Amino acid sequence: EVQLVESGGGFVQPGGSLRLSCAASGFSFSAYGMSWVRQAPGKGLEWVSSVSPAGTYTYYAEFVKGRFTASRDNTKRTLYLQLNSLKTEDTAIYYCAIVKISVPSNRAPALNELDSRGQGTQVTVSS
């Protein structure tokens, strides 16, 4: 059974930092690209970042470039997202998701090219 468990969310002031983790089990983690997506209150799902299976390629949405860094440790079967310079508009539930195996690793996946998601971790940015 595929399991994705996100952690590391919390309450932080604008300009602050958080590190999210996603522990994966039940599938061949190192064979799949992984993504972070988020959903703000009252809004739809939004793609944030993706990492290729070996971690060679990373992709970011324009609104997080230079502030967020995605990485993975295949030996620990864990995906990470470092969030720096947080803004109030970054408030959302953050989910990790598996990229479908058919998606080439040399481009970012579309939202409809993502598979299972975890339960999410809440990030709240407020003064």
Side-chain angles (χ1 to χ4, degrees):
E1 179 190 0
V2 171
Q3 281 200 325
L4 298 169
V5 180
E6 300 92 338
S7 61
F11 184 96
V12 64
Q13 292 186 334
S17 297
L18 286 171
R19 190 192 195 204
L20 308 184
S21 298
C22 168
S25 62
F27 66 103
S28 298
F29 182 72
S30 60
Y32 287 83
M34 296 293 296
S35 289
W36 289 98
V37 296
R38 71 185 187 184
Q39 188 162 23
K43 295 189 176 181
L45 205 60
E46 188 173 47
W47 174 76
V48 175
S49 179
S50 294
V51 187
S52 62
T56 307
Y57 302 106
T58 51
Y59 305 97
Y60 300 95
E62 282 297 325
F63 54 81
V64 301
K65 274 185 181 177
R67 300 190 299 123
F68 293 5
T69 303
S71 61
R72 63 192 295 163
D73 185 335
N74 286 346
T75 64
K76 296 182 179 179
R77 302 173 61 85
T78 303
L79 176 72
Y80 303 100
L81 186 67
Q82 178 68 40
L83 290 67
N84 296 329
S85 302
L86 281 161
K87 305 176 181 180
T88 55
E89 53 263 43
D90 293 319
T91 294
I93 300 175
Y94 285 71
Y95 303 90
C96 62
I98 303 171
V99 178
K100 291 181 178 178
I101 198 75
S102 57
V103 178
S105 59
N106 61 354
R107 66 167 176 84
L111 275 177
N112 63 3
E113 293 178 317
L114 303 181
D115 249 332
S116 309
R117 270 188 287 152
Q119 84 292 343
T121 186
Q122 175 71 50
V123 171
T124 303
V125 185
S126 176
S127 55

